Amino acid sequence: NAGVTQTPKFQVLKTGQSMTLQCAQDMNHEYMSWYRQDPGMGLRLIHYSVGAGITDQGEVPNGYNVSRSTTEDFPLRLLSAAPSQTSVYFCASSYSPGGGGYTFGSGTRLTVV
Amino acid sequence: QQQVKQSPQSLIVQKGGISIINCAYENTAFDYFPWYQQFPGKGPALLIAIRPDVSEKKEGRFTISFNKSAKQFSLHIMDSQPGDSATYFCAASGGLYSSASKIIFGSGTRLSIRP
């Protein structure tokens, strides 16, 4: 059972470039979310989805887009990368927004130069 | 009202000592209080969780103490070991299967256990 799979694990981007961070889960979870983790800032919610076709903004959504065309996949798109988006990104999924079975991926470390 | 406040930000404990991390919340509708453990280079993973109908839950060396009237809960790690060195996050939500209340995380505590 793979759980939550994130790719890539590491990425270096130049300012202004765009890219997509991939997230897939095989637990049939309805709720999926993206966080960024910065030193001393904890986990900050970027976007979340309560099911296929439904997404909403979290605490720090600017500069990021998401879509949810299937239950399994929840990609995060950086539209025009900025140095302020240098961070570690985590995708997570659970049965519900309340957190039952909340499972995190192993993260993507992104550096924007 | 949705915040979960966690302290301290960092903690150093000698091997064999007791590590204590505290969290406080304001939303009385919160009904599920998990703790997550994160090792360097890994994603957070569920460590232990409690519901407010009990005041304490113990799993091995890890104990959650819950004070409903004070709206506080804490993680105690007994006989702390170097392998416990990690970042710990408390969290709260409206319920394990709640569709209305998203899980909210504290800011994290970086725990270091000195040999």
Side-chain angles (χ1 to χ4, degrees):
Chain A
N1 200 349
V4 177
T5 302
Q6 287 185 240
T7 56
K9 292 190 181 301
F10 302 94
Q11 183 70 49
V12 178
L13 285 180
K14 293 182 179 179
T15 297
Q17 286 185 318
S18 63
M19 79 159 295
T20 299
L21 307 185
Q22 301 291 344
C23 176
Q25 53 94 6
D26 62 0
M27 297 171 285
N28 202 32
H29 284 169
E30 289 296 323
Y31 184 74
M32 296 187 74
S33 54
W34 276 101
Y35 294 87
R36 60 178 289 173
Q37 184 175 25
D38 303 291
M41 301 294 288
L43 296 164
R44 292 188 289 171
L45 182 64
I46 304 171
H47 284 286
Y48 64 96
S49 169
V50 297
I54 306 170
T55 64
D56 206 345
Q57 296 181 351
E59 180 185 356
V60 288
N62 292 340
Y64 307 95
N65 271 358
V66 293
S67 60
R68 184 101 179 265
S69 57
T70 67
T71 299
E72 295 79 18
D73 300 299
F74 191 44
L76 177 73
R77 297 183 186 85
L78 279 70
L79 309 173
S80 177
S84 61
Q85 294 179 303
T86 293
S87 187
V88 180
Y89 291 85
F90 288 101
C91 177
S93 73
S94 64
Y95 306 133
S96 71
Y102 215 78
T103 303
F104 285 85
S106 56
T108 295
R109 183 173 292 274
L110 176 68
T111 302
V112 182
V113 298
Chain B
Q1 194 178 15
Q2 290 294 326
Q3 281 188 321
V4 176
K5 295 182 179 180
Q6 184 172 346
S7 63
Q9 186 173 9
S10 62
L11 181 62
I12 299 173
V13 175
Q14 289 296 121
K15 180 182 175 182
I18 302 173
S19 304
I20 302 174
I21 304 170
N22 300 300
C23 284
Y25 64 98
E26 295 182 359
N27 189 345
T28 56
F30 284 153
D31 192 52
Y32 172 63
F33 301 87
W35 285 88
Y36 286 79
Q37 181 186 53
Q38 183 186 28
F39 293 109
K42 304 292 185 182
L46 180 64
L47 178 65
I48 186 172
I50 196 169
R51 293 196 60 197
D53 51 348
V54 296
S55 60
E56 185 176 281
K57 184 174 182 179
K58 184 176 181 179
E59 291 185 1
R61 296 183 293 106
F62 298 89
T63 300
I64 300 178
S65 296
F66 188 84
N67 186 330
K68 189 174 182 178
S69 61
K71 292 185 285 186
Q72 296 175 346
F73 58 110
S74 59
L75 177 69
H76 296 237
I77 306 174
M78 311 300 288
D79 186 27
S80 299
Q81 299 297 312
D84 298 329
S85 297
T87 299
Y88 292 82
F89 293 95
C90 63
S93 80
L96 197 63
Y97 300 104
S98 170
S99 60
S101 172
K102 294 192 307 294
I103 189 166
I104 305 292
F105 288 91
S107 55
T109 296
R110 191 168 187 171
L111 174 65
S112 296
I113 307 299
R114 294 291 167 83

mmCIF file of all heavy atoms in Angstrom, chain A residues 62-86:
data_model
loop_
_atom_site.group_PDB
_atom_site.id
_atom_site.type_symbol
_atom_site.label_atom_id
_atom_site.label_comp_id
_atom_site.label_asym_id
_atom_site.label_seq_id
_atom_site.Cartn_x
_atom_site.Cartn_y
_atom_site.Cartn_z
ATOM 1 N N ASN A 62 -1.786 32.300 -2.518
ATOM 2 C CA ASN A 62 -1.307 33.142 -3.620
ATOM 3 C C ASN A 62 -0.088 32.530 -4.308
ATOM 4 O O ASN A 62 0.873 32.144 -3.669
ATOM 5 C CB ASN A 62 -0.975 34.540 -3.101
ATOM 6 C CG ASN A 62 -2.218 35.290 -2.656
ATOM 7 O OD1 ASN A 62 -3.330 34.946 -3.061
ATOM 8 N ND2 ASN A 62 -2.035 36.291 -1.820
ATOM 9 N N GLY A 63 -0.158 32.486 -5.653
ATOM 10 C CA GLY A 63 0.950 31.952 -6.438
ATOM 11 C C GLY A 63 0.812 30.475 -6.749
ATOM 12 O O GLY A 63 1.683 29.908 -7.413
ATOM 13 N N TYR A 64 -0.258 29.861 -6.251
ATOM 14 C CA TYR A 64 -0.466 28.423 -6.445
ATOM 15 C C TYR A 64 -1.864 28.149 -7.007
ATOM 16 O O TYR A 64 -2.813 28.820 -6.654
ATOM 17 C CB TYR A 64 -0.353 27.673 -5.110
ATOM 18 C CG TYR A 64 0.908 27.928 -4.329
ATOM 19 C CD1 TYR A 64 0.930 28.902 -3.321
ATOM 20 C CD2 TYR A 64 2.071 27.195 -4.557
ATOM 21 C CE1 TYR A 64 2.070 29.135 -2.586
ATOM 22 C CE2 TYR A 64 3.221 27.423 -3.813
ATOM 23 C CZ TYR A 64 3.203 28.396 -2.830
ATOM 24 O OH TYR A 64 4.341 28.621 -2.093
ATOM 25 N N ASN A 65 -1.953 27.144 -7.871
ATOM 26 C CA ASN A 65 -3.241 26.658 -8.362
ATOM 27 C C ASN A 65 -3.353 25.163 -8.125
ATOM 28 O O ASN A 65 -2.336 24.456 -8.124
ATOM 29 C CB ASN A 65 -3.372 26.897 -9.869
ATOM 30 C CG ASN A 65 -3.963 28.257 -10.179
ATOM 31 O OD1 ASN A 65 -4.304 29.016 -9.275
ATOM 32 N ND2 ASN A 65 -4.077 28.558 -11.452
ATOM 33 N N VAL A 66 -4.590 24.705 -7.952
ATOM 34 C CA VAL A 66 -4.823 23.275 -7.819
ATOM 35 C C VAL A 66 -6.041 22.886 -8.636
ATOM 36 O O VAL A 66 -6.856 23.729 -9.013
ATOM 37 C CB VAL A 66 -5.062 22.843 -6.349
ATOM 38 C CG1 VAL A 66 -3.804 23.006 -5.499
ATOM 39 C CG2 VAL A 66 -6.226 23.622 -5.742
ATOM 40 N N SER A 67 -6.159 21.595 -8.899
ATOM 41 C CA SER A 67 -7.353 21.026 -9.517
ATOM 42 C C SER A 67 -7.496 19.607 -8.987
ATOM 43 O O SER A 67 -6.529 19.010 -8.511
ATOM 44 C CB SER A 67 -7.239 21.015 -11.037
ATOM 45 O OG SER A 67 -6.120 20.249 -11.440
ATOM 46 N N ARG A 68 -8.695 19.066 -9.052
ATOM 47 C CA ARG A 68 -8.946 17.702 -8.557
ATOM 48 C C ARG A 68 -9.908 17.032 -9.529
ATOM 49 O O ARG A 68 -11.131 17.078 -9.373
ATOM 50 C CB ARG A 68 -9.551 17.762 -7.149
ATOM 51 C CG ARG A 68 -9.762 16.369 -6.521
ATOM 52 C CD ARG A 68 -8.701 16.024 -5.559
ATOM 53 N NE ARG A 68 -8.895 14.734 -4.942
ATOM 54 C CZ ARG A 68 -9.496 14.552 -3.756
ATOM 55 N NH1 ARG A 68 -9.970 15.599 -3.083
ATOM 56 N NH2 ARG A 68 -9.623 13.352 -3.265
ATOM 57 N N SER A 69 -9.346 16.421 -10.544
ATOM 58 C CA SER A 69 -10.169 15.771 -11.558
ATOM 59 C C SER A 69 -10.511 14.331 -11.171
ATOM 60 O O SER A 69 -11.503 13.775 -11.659
ATOM 61 C CB SER A 69 -9.474 15.800 -12.914
ATOM 62 O OG SER A 69 -8.205 15.190 -12.827
ATOM 63 N N THR A 70 -9.711 13.724 -10.305
ATOM 64 C CA THR A 70 -9.982 12.369 -9.831
ATOM 65 C C THR A 70 -9.833 12.327 -8.313
ATOM 66 O O THR A 70 -9.223 13.223 -7.725
ATOM 67 C CB THR A 70 -9.012 11.337 -10.439
ATOM 68 O OG1 THR A 70 -7.696 11.596 -9.939
ATOM 69 C CG2 THR A 70 -9.003 11.407 -11.964
ATOM 70 N N THR A 71 -10.363 11.290 -7.687
ATOM 71 C CA THR A 71 -10.200 11.134 -6.243
ATOM 72 C C THR A 71 -8.737 10.952 -5.883
ATOM 73 O O THR A 71 -8.279 11.414 -4.847
ATOM 74 C CB THR A 71 -11.011 9.921 -5.750
ATOM 75 O OG1 THR A 71 -12.399 10.134 -6.027
ATOM 76 C CG2 THR A 71 -10.823 9.692 -4.255
ATOM 77 N N GLU A 72 -7.960 10.292 -6.749
ATOM 78 C CA GLU A 72 -6.598 9.906 -6.423
ATOM 79 C C GLU A 72 -5.577 11.035 -6.521
ATOM 80 O O GLU A 72 -4.580 11.038 -5.808
ATOM 81 C CB GLU A 72 -6.151 8.760 -7.354
ATOM 82 C CG GLU A 72 -6.912 7.462 -7.178
ATOM 83 C CD GLU A 72 -8.269 7.479 -7.849
ATOM 84 O OE1 GLU A 72 -8.501 8.337 -8.729
ATOM 85 O OE2 GLU A 72 -9.110 6.644 -7.472
ATOM 86 N N ASP A 73 -5.751 11.976 -7.426
ATOM 87 C CA ASP A 73 -4.695 12.934 -7.750
ATOM 88 C C ASP A 73 -5.050 14.366 -7.361
ATOM 89 O O ASP A 73 -6.184 14.816 -7.571
ATOM 90 C CB ASP A 73 -4.387 12.881 -9.257
ATOM 91 C CG ASP A 73 -3.926 11.513 -9.704
ATOM 92 O OD1 ASP A 73 -2.880 11.072 -9.187
ATOM 93 O OD2 ASP A 73 -4.609 10.891 -10.545
ATOM 94 N N PHE A 74 -4.043 15.073 -6.866
ATOM 95 C CA PHE A 74 -4.256 16.468 -6.450
ATOM 96 C C PHE A 74 -2.974 17.244 -6.717
ATOM 97 O O PHE A 74 -2.187 17.508 -5.813
ATOM 98 C CB PHE A 74 -4.639 16.504 -4.964
ATOM 99 C CG PHE A 74 -5.125 17.839 -4.470
ATOM 100 C CD1 PHE A 74 -6.026 18.595 -5.196
ATOM 101 C CD2 PHE A 74 -4.701 18.325 -3.240
ATOM 102 C CE1 PHE A 74 -6.484 19.810 -4.728
ATOM 103 C CE2 PHE A 74 -5.158 19.542 -2.756
ATOM 104 C CZ PHE A 74 -6.042 20.292 -3.512
ATOM 105 N N PRO A 75 -2.718 17.652 -7.952
ATOM 106 C CA PRO A 75 -1.487 18.363 -8.285
ATOM 107 C C PRO A 75 -1.516 19.820 -7.844
ATOM 108 O O PRO A 75 -2.579 20.468 -7.832
ATOM 109 C CB PRO A 75 -1.429 18.246 -9.815
ATOM 110 C CG PRO A 75 -2.856 18.100 -10.234
ATOM 111 C CD PRO A 75 -3.541 17.341 -9.140
ATOM 112 N N LEU A 76 -0.338 20.317 -7.511
ATOM 113 C CA LEU A 76 -0.159 21.719 -7.112
ATOM 114 C C LEU A 76 0.697 22.410 -8.171
ATOM 115 O O LEU A 76 1.803 21.966 -8.442
ATOM 116 C CB LEU A 76 0.533 21.804 -5.746
ATOM 117 C CG LEU A 76 0.841 23.212 -5.226
ATOM 118 C CD1 LEU A 76 -0.446 23.901 -4.774
ATOM 119 C CD2 LEU A 76 1.834 23.155 -4.061
ATOM 120 N N ARG A 77 0.182 23.492 -8.732
ATOM 121 C CA ARG A 77 0.894 24.201 -9.792
ATOM 122 C C ARG A 77 1.439 25.525 -9.277
ATOM 123 O O ARG A 77 0.697 26.308 -8.663
ATOM 124 C CB ARG A 77 -0.033 24.447 -10.977
ATOM 125 C CG ARG A 77 -0.518 23.173 -11.641
ATOM 126 C CD ARG A 77 -1.390 23.453 -12.862
ATOM 127 N NE ARG A 77 -1.954 22.219 -13.382
ATOM 128 C CZ ARG A 77 -3.071 21.663 -12.929
ATOM 129 N NH1 ARG A 77 -3.758 22.260 -11.969
ATOM 130 N NH2 ARG A 77 -3.520 20.547 -13.449
ATOM 131 N N LEU A 78 2.723 25.750 -9.530
ATOM 132 C CA LEU A 78 3.333 27.052 -9.282
ATOM 133 C C LEU A 78 3.315 27.783 -10.618
ATOM 134 O O LEU A 78 3.888 27.313 -11.607
ATOM 135 C CB LEU A 78 4.761 26.906 -8.784
ATOM 136 C CG LEU A 78 4.941 26.595 -7.306
ATOM 137 C CD1 LEU A 78 4.476 25.187 -6.974
ATOM 138 C CD2 LEU A 78 6.377 26.815 -6.876
ATOM 139 N N LEU A 79 2.671 28.917 -10.661
ATOM 140 C CA LEU A 79 2.427 29.599 -11.926
ATOM 141 C C LEU A 79 3.658 30.346 -12.434
ATOM 142 O O LEU A 79 3.997 30.288 -13.608
ATOM 143 C CB LEU A 79 1.261 30.572 -11.756
ATOM 144 C CG LEU A 79 -0.001 29.939 -11.134
ATOM 145 C CD1 LEU A 79 -1.046 31.002 -10.853
ATOM 146 C CD2 LEU A 79 -0.541 28.844 -12.041
ATOM 147 N N SER A 80 4.335 31.056 -11.547
ATOM 148 C CA SER A 80 5.536 31.814 -11.868
ATOM 149 C C SER A 80 6.371 31.850 -10.600
ATOM 150 O O SER A 80 6.139 32.673 -9.715
ATOM 151 C CB SER A 80 5.177 33.235 -12.323
ATOM 152 O OG SER A 80 6.345 33.988 -12.575
ATOM 153 N N ALA A 81 7.318 30.922 -10.507
ATOM 154 C CA ALA A 81 8.028 30.695 -9.252
ATOM 155 C C ALA A 81 8.782 31.942 -8.777
ATOM 156 O O ALA A 81 9.371 32.683 -9.579
ATOM 157 C CB ALA A 81 9.001 29.531 -9.400
ATOM 158 N N ALA A 82 8.730 32.140 -7.453
ATOM 159 C CA ALA A 82 9.437 33.251 -6.811
ATOM 160 C C ALA A 82 10.302 32.691 -5.681
ATOM 161 O O ALA A 82 9.960 31.646 -5.110
ATOM 162 C CB ALA A 82 8.433 34.248 -6.249
ATOM 163 N N PRO A 83 11.403 33.374 -5.335
ATOM 164 C CA PRO A 83 12.254 32.887 -4.242
ATOM 165 C C PRO A 83 11.481 32.658 -2.938
ATOM 166 O O PRO A 83 11.839 31.777 -2.154
ATOM 167 C CB PRO A 83 13.303 33.992 -4.096
ATOM 168 C CG PRO A 83 13.417 34.572 -5.474
ATOM 169 C CD PRO A 83 12.004 34.531 -6.028
ATOM 170 N N SER A 84 10.403 33.435 -2.715
ATOM 171 C CA SER A 84 9.597 33.266 -1.496
ATOM 172 C C SER A 84 8.866 31.922 -1.460
ATOM 173 O O SER A 84 8.336 31.532 -0.405
ATOM 174 C CB SER A 84 8.571 34.389 -1.374
ATOM 175 O OG SER A 84 7.682 34.366 -2.483
ATOM 176 N N GLN A 85 8.834 31.224 -2.581
ATOM 177 C CA GLN A 85 8.193 29.911 -2.617
ATOM 178 C C GLN A 85 9.174 28.765 -2.347
ATOM 179 O O GLN A 85 8.790 27.591 -2.391
ATOM 180 C CB GLN A 85 7.485 29.703 -3.963
ATOM 181 C CG GLN A 85 6.314 30.652 -4.164
ATOM 182 C CD GLN A 85 5.629 30.482 -5.501
ATOM 183 O OE1 GLN A 85 6.275 30.595 -6.565
ATOM 184 N NE2 GLN A 85 4.329 30.242 -5.486
ATOM 185 N N THR A 86 10.419 29.121 -2.052
ATOM 186 C CA THR A 86 11.380 28.114 -1.603
ATOM 187 C C THR A 86 10.874 27.538 -0.284
ATOM 188 O O THR A 86 10.664 28.268 0.680
ATOM 189 C CB THR A 86 12.770 28.740 -1.416
ATOM 190 O OG1 THR A 86 13.270 29.142 -2.691
ATOM 191 C CG2 THR A 86 13.726 27.757 -0.766
#
